[in-house]
Amino acid sequence: MKNYLLLCLTLFAFAVNAQQGLRVNEAVMNPSDIINDGAIELQVLGGTPPYTYKWSNQETPLSSNKAVGLTEGIEYSVTVTDSKGVSVTKSYKVKTQAITEVFNGVMTPAVGALGSVLFWDPFAAIGIYDPIAYADVKLVATPGWSASVEDRFVLKKWLKPEGAQVKKGDEIAVVSRDNGADETVVATVNGELKYLVQEGKAIYNFENAEHVIAQGAHFLAEIKYDEPRPLLHPNGDPVTKPIPFIVIWLVFGALFFTIRMGFINIRGFRHSLDLAKGKYDDPNAPGQVTHFQALATAVSGTVGLGNIAGVAVAVSVGGAGATFWMIVCGLLGMSSKFVECTLGVKYRNILPDGRVFGGPMNYLRYGLEKRNMNGLGKVLASVFAVLAIGASFGGGNMFQANQSFEQLAGQFPVLTGNGFWFGIVTAILVGVVIIGGIRSIAKVTERIVPLMAGIYVLAALVVIIMNIQNLGAAFGAIYDGAFSPSALKGGVIGVLVVGFQRAAFSNEAGVGSAAIAHSAAKTNHPPSEGFVALLEPFIDTVVVCTLTALVLVFTGMHEVEGMAGAQLTSDAFGSQISWFPYVLGIAVFLFAFSTMISWSYYGMRAWTYLFGKSTKSEMTYKLFFLVFIVIGASVSLGAVLDFSDMMILAMSFPNIIGLYIMSGEVKADLANYWQKLKANELFKKQKVVKD
């Protein structure tokens, strides 16, 4: 016993001395007032090198003693381990020195908290789905290849037989290229070698459409691991591809409403076009705007940066196959829009001065009150209103101003550093429109939306026609990517989730925002506006988002690594139309401008629900809204914008609960409307017969 205690004390003393011998000095830096540019650099003394650094920041490699791009005011940890396994853990915080850094640091934990709800994975939580992304093979890329390279690469000679067990560093092949010297390819991991190209055959030829379009055409071999390996972030954490709860919530709701309404998204499509064209516009019907104006206002609130930047992210992460699932989700979302916008009109309140107050606040409160759920209705309506106000100031305002300025400044350098004045000018333009209320907003959106959508759609079609020879390869890549993607893309589930997520976030079906705009439509029949509204996801997702994705796939830009967002889309257009990035910059501003004026109306109606319907209350909100435009354009707010953008998604929780409860009522109203339509009892414009 005595010897045992002595041994334990000796080992304990050795461990203590070893830790004392591993000392860490740090330099914590905040180089500027710009958010998220903090840095921590470590100097390790003692121990036995080499050292590994396990940072809590996932973007910092295990081999790096310096972490950059850190959020000021947030605590980061690092565990330093030497070659003998002795380790020490330290925590650091970059001090804030500007008010924007303070706000960003305070909101970052809030973003994490809200994100933990919105993006929680219930399937992983109950153990029926492993969210960790695994790779069963390591793909070997052609040296010197890039998505924009104009060259031909040929597999000149294999140096190892197929099926051979190779080790990391082994020479496995020689590749020749037209515009360069031969290069020897080495194995990057241990495993079993499998040929993807035969000797003497082209690996990649920029003149071959299938090579340009196909996912992974530049890989010459794959090395199969003995067992699947988890994909890792630079800091060693496993990469996860969860199935976010918010996506399940939105998509399941859309599927439920599609079935409950008898596939109204398909059956009602033709009639919705007739309504949007004005064939059933009754000038004496209650309301403030026409069917088309309401549609244009709602579309302007959804068609925006998500269609340009968001789709690029989805396709770069999920591959070409994400396009297919975006279309499917867009078609399902049409039914959600039908239900919420029908209720938006049915439970609206029209004041004697003609102003209309409608949307989820009304149908959640009064629709549930009718079912003896008064308490639940008031809570859901109030929660929705609070979220809508926050979303209007952030995702519908500051985010739009911020991103449109960044995009324009990238194309027009004269704007660089003049975000404040850009914000002032934008605020004046927005103010001129929104001071006049929904009629003024509708008059502007009915002109801007067709113009900006027309420019964008025309340019996309031009790019596609210029690459029409890639048509078969492109759709082949989309089909293969949707149903047989590689493990690197997360498999079918991973690609499906990426596509559904982008579509759901873009068209906002189920969020309830569009019901506010549609409630102002001139109509005597609530379902008629539901029919008009179901066109929104079709325009936003099935048309605009799909065209963006096709441009990326047709031009091969979906293969570009290290770039995403609006810049990737801009480069895809620019690769075919050299001057189009300038037009795209202006289109982005129009998208953002139209989104801001639409969201000003959404936020104002939520504001008046909480603070009163007086014109003074409306004007107070409008002034706040204009101030936030200037703030958004001139200041980097980081997590503040992320949080407010998440509030848009959170609006779907109270909204869809109400839609489930009232779906039977909508179904009955729909049956009654169909009956009147078939009996020719609805108002219909008479054709003018010219003499």
Side-chain angles (χ1 to χ4, degrees):
M1 184 68 178
K2 184 177 179 181
N3 291 336
Y4 177 74
L5 289 173
L6 183 62
L7 177 62
C8 288
L9 289 171
T10 302
L11 291 173
F12 177 75
F14 176 79
V16 170
N17 288 332
Q19 282 216 2
Q20 288 178 342
L22 192 62
R23 303 186 308 279
V24 178
N25 295 332
E26 71 282 339
V28 182
M29 296 162 280
N30 185 353
S32 72
D33 291 346
I34 299 173
I35 62 170
N36 300 330
D37 71 342
I40 301 170
E41 186 169 9
L42 305 180
Q43 180 186 24
V44 183
L45 303 172
T48 306
Y51 310 106
T52 58
Y53 306 84
K54 179 67 170 68
W55 295 87
S56 58
N57 178 45
Q58 292 185 327
E59 300 308 312
T60 306
L62 289 166
S63 59
S64 177
N65 69 323
K66 185 176 182 179
V68 297
L70 305 181
T71 300
E72 299 82 3
I74 298 299
E75 189 172 90
Y76 292 91
S77 65
V78 57
T79 298
V80 182
T81 306
D82 73 359
S83 61
K84 293 188 175 180
V86 179
S87 63
V88 61
T89 300
K90 296 283 187 178
S91 294
Y92 306 100
K93 182 185 290 186
V94 180
K95 290 184 178 180
T96 56
Q97 61 186 27
I99 189 65
T100 52
E101 292 178 342
V102 173
F103 275 120
N104 189 50
V106 170
M107 292 304 297
T108 296
V111 169
L114 184 55
S116 66
V117 176
L118 295 175
F119 302 108
W120 170 63
D121 186 345
F123 294 107
I126 60 178
I128 63 174
Y129 172 72
D130 184 0
I132 296 176
Y134 291 91
D136 48 4
V137 297
K138 177 69 175 178
L139 294 168
V140 182
T142 303
W145 178 90
S146 71
S148 58
V149 70
E150 295 187 355
D151 206 345
R152 188 173 73 102
F153 299 84
V154 175
L155 197 294
K156 188 174 182 179
K157 184 179 181 182
W158 284 109
L159 302 178
K160 293 284 185 180
E162 187 166 22
Q165 289 292 326
V166 297
K167 295 181 178 179
K168 183 178 180 179
D170 285 354
E171 296 182 347
I172 59 173
V174 177
V175 173
S176 65
R177 54 189 298 184
D178 291 348
N179 300 327
D182 292 357
E183 291 194 52
T184 301
V185 182
V186 299
T188 52
V189 294
N190 300 338
E192 181 182 324
L193 178 65
K194 178 183 177 181
Y195 296 168
L196 297 180
V197 181
Q198 297 301 315
E199 277 188 8
K201 299 292 185 180
I203 306 168
Y204 179 87
N205 182 358
F206 79 103
E207 295 178 335
N208 186 322
E210 290 189 11
H211 289 182
V212 173
I213 300 299
Q215 195 85 22
H218 58 290
F219 294 117
L220 58 96
E222 63 182 34
I223 300 174
K224 185 178 181 181
Y225 298 123
D226 294 332
E227 58 184 41
R229 296 187 182 184
L231 298 176
L232 303 176
H233 289 286
N235 77 330
D237 288 346
V239 174
T240 58
K241 293 184 179 291
I243 304 175
F245 176 65
I246 184 62
V247 175
I248 299 170
W249 182 251
L250 290 168
V251 174
F252 182 81
L255 181 60
F256 174 84
F257 299 128
T258 297
I259 296 171
R260 187 90 165 98
M261 300 301 143
F263 293 88
I264 192 65
N265 50 347
I266 298 171
R267 290 194 304 134
F269 189 77
R270 182 174 178 180
H271 182 58
S272 67
L273 291 175
D274 289 339
L275 284 161
K277 291 175 183 176
K279 288 186 178 181
Y280 294 86
D281 281 356
D282 183 351
N284 299 316
Q288 291 182 288
V289 297
T290 66
H291 286 306
F292 180 77
Q293 288 176 328
L295 175 65
T297 301
V299 167
S300 71
T302 57
V303 175
L305 295 170
N307 303 79
I308 298 173
V311 172
V313 172
V315 174
S316 60
V317 172
T323 308
F324 176 84
W325 297 115
M326 273 193 290
I327 294 171
V328 172
C329 186
L331 293 172
L332 293 175
M334 294 164 71
S335 303
S336 297
K337 287 276 188 176
F338 173 84
V339 176
E340 63 190 8
C341 293
T342 296
L343 290 170
V345 173
K346 184 171 184 177
Y347 287 94
R348 67 185 177 180
N349 180 20
I350 303 178
L351 298 189
D353 63 5
R355 286 183 297 151
V356 178
F357 294 83
M361 297 82 66
N362 282 42
Y363 61 71
L364 289 174
R365 179 172 179 178
Y366 303 114
L368 297 186
E369 184 181 88
K370 192 168 70 173
R371 290 166 174 74
N372 297 317
M373 300 179 183
N374 191 31
L376 177 62
K378 285 183 177 179
V379 170
L380 292 179
S382 297
V383 169
F384 181 91
V386 170
L387 292 171
I389 292 170
S392 72
F393 285 144
N397 181 338
M398 290 192 293
F399 178 78
Q400 304 297 326
N402 188 281
Q403 293 300 297
S404 61
F405 172 70
E406 292 294 329
Q407 182 70 16
L408 280 174
Q411 301 299 332
F412 303 98
V414 68
L415 291 175
T416 304
N418 293 308
F420 174 80
W421 295 109
F422 175 85
I424 291 289
V425 172
T426 304
I428 292 172
L429 293 173
V430 171
V432 168
V433 177
I434 70 174
I435 295 300
I438 185 61
R439 286 194 177 95
S440 177
I441 292 171
K443 286 179 180 178
V444 173
T445 55
E446 75 172 336
R447 288 173 172 79
I448 286 183
V449 170
L451 174 64
M452 69 183 186
I455 292 172
Y456 192 76
V457 168
L458 180 61
L461 291 174
V462 168
V463 172
I464 291 170
I465 291 170
M466 289 173 68
N467 294 272
I468 197 65
Q469 71 276 9
N470 300 346
L471 182 66
F475 282 100
I478 291 171
Y479 180 84
D480 291 341
F483 296 102
S484 57
S486 71
L488 292 174
K489 296 297 181 184
V492 173
I493 296 295
V495 174
L496 181 147
V497 168
V498 169
F500 274 11
Q501 181 170 308
R502 182 64 262 148
F505 292 4
S506 178
N507 61 46
E508 297 174 16
V511 167
S513 53
I516 301 174
H518 284 283
S519 66
K522 286 176 170 288
T523 182
N524 290 300
H525 308 284
S528 69
E529 199 56 30
F531 279 104
V532 176
L534 66 79
L535 288 173
E536 285 175 45
F538 183 83
I539 295 168
D540 177 276
T541 306
V542 180
V543 177
V544 181
C545 283
T546 301
L547 284 174
T548 301
L550 289 176
V551 167
L552 292 166
V553 174
F554 268 70
T555 57
M557 295 300 286
H558 65 300
E559 289 278 24
V560 174
E561 298 179 358
M563 184 191 301
Q567 188 57 50
L568 185 60
T569 305
S570 179
D571 286 359
F573 278 104
S575 67
Q576 305 296 313
I577 310 172
S578 60
W579 46 265
F580 188 75
Y582 296 101
V583 178
L584 184 63
I586 296 171
V588 165
F589 174 75
L590 290 176
F591 283 149
F593 177 76
S594 63
T595 298
M596 283 187 276
I597 62 178
S598 296
W599 269 95
S600 73
Y601 184 70
Y602 301 161
M604 183 178 68
R605 282 293 165 258
W607 178 278
T608 52
Y609 176 81
L610 295 176
F611 302 109
K613 299 177 180 178
S614 67
T615 53
K616 183 178 179 181
S617 176
E618 290 187 354
M619 190 58 65
T620 300
Y621 171 83
K622 290 173 183 177
L623 291 175
F624 274 127
F625 192 86
L626 297 177
V627 169
F628 276 105
I629 292 176
V630 180
I631 295 173
S634 54
V635 180
S636 296
L637 293 173
V640 178
L641 297 183
D642 293 338
F643 185 80
S644 62
D645 213 26
M646 286 182 176
M647 292 176 83
I648 296 177
L649 299 176
M651 289 160 60
S652 66
F653 289 124
N655 185 53
I656 289 182
I657 290 173
L659 298 185
Y660 280 135
I661 295 171
M662 291 181 277
S663 61
E665 178 181 344
V666 176
K667 185 175 182 180
D669 290 343
L670 173 60
N672 184 47
Y673 182 85
W674 275 129
Q675 188 176 356
K676 289 183 178 180
L677 179 64
K678 290 176 181 178
N680 203 26
E681 296 176 4
L682 301 178
F683 176 89
K684 190 174 184 180
K685 282 186 176 180
Q686 300 299 316
K687 291 183 179 180
V688 179
V689 180
K690 295 182 179 180
D691 293 332

